[in-house]
Amino acid sequence: MVATTPDIRSWCAGRGGPYVLLTTTSAPPPLGVPVLASKALSTSLLAASRRPALRRVVVGTPVTRRVVDRFVAGEALPAALDAVRALAADGIAVTLDHLGEDVTDRSEAQRTRDAYLRLLEGLAPLGLGRRAEVSVKLSAFGQALPVGGEDVAAELVRPVVEAATAQGTTVTLDMEDSQTVDSTLGVLAGLRRDHPSTGAVLQAMLHRTEDDARALAVPGSRVRLVKGAYREPASAAHQEKSAVDTAYARCLDVLLRGGGYPMAGTHDPAMIARVLDLVAETGRAPDSYEFQLLYGIRTDEQVRLARAGHTVRAYVPYGADWYGYFMRRLAERPANLQFFLRSLATRS
Ligand SMILES: Cc1cc2nc3c(=O)[nH]c(=O)nc-3n(C[C@H](O)[C@H](O)[C@H](O)COP(=O)(O)OP(=O)(O)OC[C@H]3O[C@@H](n4cnc5c(N)ncnc54)[C@H](O)[C@@H]3O)c2cc1C
């Protein structure tokens, strides 16, 4: 658990650990909640996102719900479809993520497949076509199973891709930690043989990514470029934010000057401006690239870009298994964590 004020500390004490204890290092943010906004904190939160004991504490806390609602469209499909309708009314396309990762057996992976098939069935009557696609994490399809995980994931994700193609839309394979990149790109290559618009995600923080971007910047290839949300060792990834930003800008160059369909997955004003410069420089048509932002984050900017004539897609997560997603959002931005801590401090 994350504790700051004495009030929160005593609240946590009544609920058992483990805790990450934060101390003040800078001017107190609003409501006097002191937060250590540092790489160490981000690292702790990312580690926590994989710890079952902490998961139980955070998920079992009613007040967490209010904060989760800001980032997650709901626990069930109807709530997610309501969010899709509201975004569509604002001219914003969507990619839906049925939350869940790291399944431990084949039957759980089959449940993921079934949830996505139900999701696609739910989307069909909205008639949004390509403006409503889905994003999948292969770990939720069994990729990490000890025996034949990659094959299980490839087999179980295929019906989802087929169903998406049949209703005129597509699937993007999210990218998880660096150990999974080769496997995910391998599954992607297999899917693209029959379903060429299946999308990939590349994480600029990884040293290998500029090469991957070059390989994927080819006609028909949809690539979402993100900075990367996982804790990675220095051997695999840039550790400093400035280096990640520089790498992101370089990969944008590769993708926007290349022949594919780039999808800039970022909230960063500097990177959004870089995309706009590259679009102007290369003369890309408005339907040959898109911006992607997470549900609930910089919503004004989403609408502004859409009104300016750009394709904007919100990544809309929903489902009961929101813990890992939620912890990554807390880890990547101190303001998100402050919001969470304020909710704890003001709980009624
Ligand atoms: C559509 C989408 C899909 C993604 N898919 C994946 C994936 O498959 N795999 C993966 O590893 N990661 C994924 N991510 C997460 C990504 O890797 C980053 O962790 C996340 O996007 C934060 O990086 P950033 O580019 O927004 O910039 P950051 O470096 O986090 O922020 C830069 C600047 O952006 C602005 N900003 C950022 N967040 C906010 C906010 N909440 N409110 C206001 N301003 C803000 C601020 O000005 C900030 O200084 C995805 C992100 C998006 C948007």
Side-chain angles (χ1 to χ4, degrees):
M1 190 58 233
V2 178
T4 53
T5 61
D7 178 42
I8 293 170
R9 217 178 272 131
S10 63
W11 176 86
C12 289
R15 287 159 177 83
Y19 310 119
V20 176
L21 184 62
L22 309 182
T23 55
T24 309
T25 58
S26 57
L31 288 178
V33 177
V35 173
L36 173 62
S38 71
K39 203 166 94 180
L41 170 57
S42 167
T43 303
S44 303
L45 287 166
L46 289 178
S49 74
R50 295 254 151 129
R51 288 192 3 224
L54 192 57
R55 171 190 288 255
R56 280 193 295 278
V57 175
V58 174
V59 172
T61 303
V63 74
T64 308
R65 191 64 256 167
R66 268 190 278 157
V67 190
V68 172
D69 285 346
R70 181 179 158 179
F71 301 111
V72 175
E75 293 208 351
L77 182 56
L81 296 177
D82 285 347
V84 172
R85 282 189 204 94
L87 288 160
D90 275 333
I92 294 169
V94 293
T95 182
L96 281 122
D97 168 24
H98 179 262
L99 291 166
E101 42 204 272
D102 293 336
V103 302
T104 51
D105 62 38
R106 189 184 164 92
S107 62
E108 275 185 80
Q110 285 168 330
R111 281 200 287 280
T112 303
R113 175 201 59 197
D114 297 344
Y116 272 97
L117 293 174
R118 279 196 301 277
L119 165 58
L120 285 163
E121 266 173 44
L123 286 173
L126 304 188
L128 293 170
R130 285 247 170 155
R131 293 187 66 77
E133 55 140 86
V134 301
S135 286
V136 303
K137 284 189 174 47
L138 289 185
S139 67
F141 285 79
Q143 185 182 38
L145 295 181
V147 181
E150 180 178 324
D151 292 341
V152 172
E155 176 200 327
L156 294 179
V157 80
R158 186 167 277 274
V160 176
V161 175
E162 285 166 353
T165 304
Q167 63 188 65
T169 189
T170 188
V171 174
T172 296
L173 305 188
D174 282 353
M175 195 58 84
E176 301 178 70
D177 62 76
S178 60
Q179 300 293 313
T180 66
V181 176
D182 282 327
S183 164
T184 300
L185 293 181
V187 173
L188 177 84
L191 292 168
R192 277 191 171 170
R193 278 194 278 279
D194 303 318
H195 304 275
S197 66
T198 307
V201 178
L202 295 179
Q203 298 155 319
M205 72 186 298
L206 301 184
H207 300 309
R208 60 177 287 166
T209 293
E210 205 173 326
D211 289 340
D212 289 334
R214 282 185 213 293
L216 289 173
V218 295
S221 166
R222 294 169 59 259
V223 180
R224 177 196 304 154
L225 179 66
V226 300
K227 290 187 185 174
Y230 294 80
R231 187 169 55 135
E232 299 291 352
S235 56
H238 301 291
Q239 303 293 301
E240 299 303 323
K241 178 172 164 42
S242 59
V244 175
D245 288 351
T246 304
Y248 192 97
R250 272 202 312 270
C251 294
L252 276 182
D253 249 60
V254 171
L255 294 172
L256 277 126
R257 292 183 198 285
Y261 181 87
M263 308 184 280
T266 183
H267 314 102
D268 189 336
M271 299 307 149
I272 291 172
R274 181 74 195 132
V275 174
L276 295 175
D277 286 350
L278 282 163
V279 165
E281 212 181 292
T282 57
R284 267 188 178 266
D287 62 355
S288 71
Y289 67 93
E290 66 186 50
F291 291 102
Q292 296 193 349
L293 293 89
L294 300 178
Y295 177 79
I297 297 186
R298 300 203 72 204
T299 47
D300 291 352
E301 178 69 352
Q302 297 183 20
V303 173
R304 189 190 71 78
L305 286 167
R307 289 200 178 138
H310 305 287
T311 301
V312 178
R313 193 177 295 279
Y315 182 105
V316 181
Y318 77 99
D321 195 3
W322 42 259
Y323 176 78
Y325 180 87
F326 176 65
M327 294 302 275
R328 287 195 294 278
R329 300 294 79 79
L330 294 189
E332 71 200 3
R333 188 164 161 83
N336 293 344
L337 181 61
Q338 285 171 30
F339 181 63
F340 179 49
L341 293 171
R342 277 205 300 275
S343 297
L344 293 180
T346 60
R347 74 195 186 278
S348 49

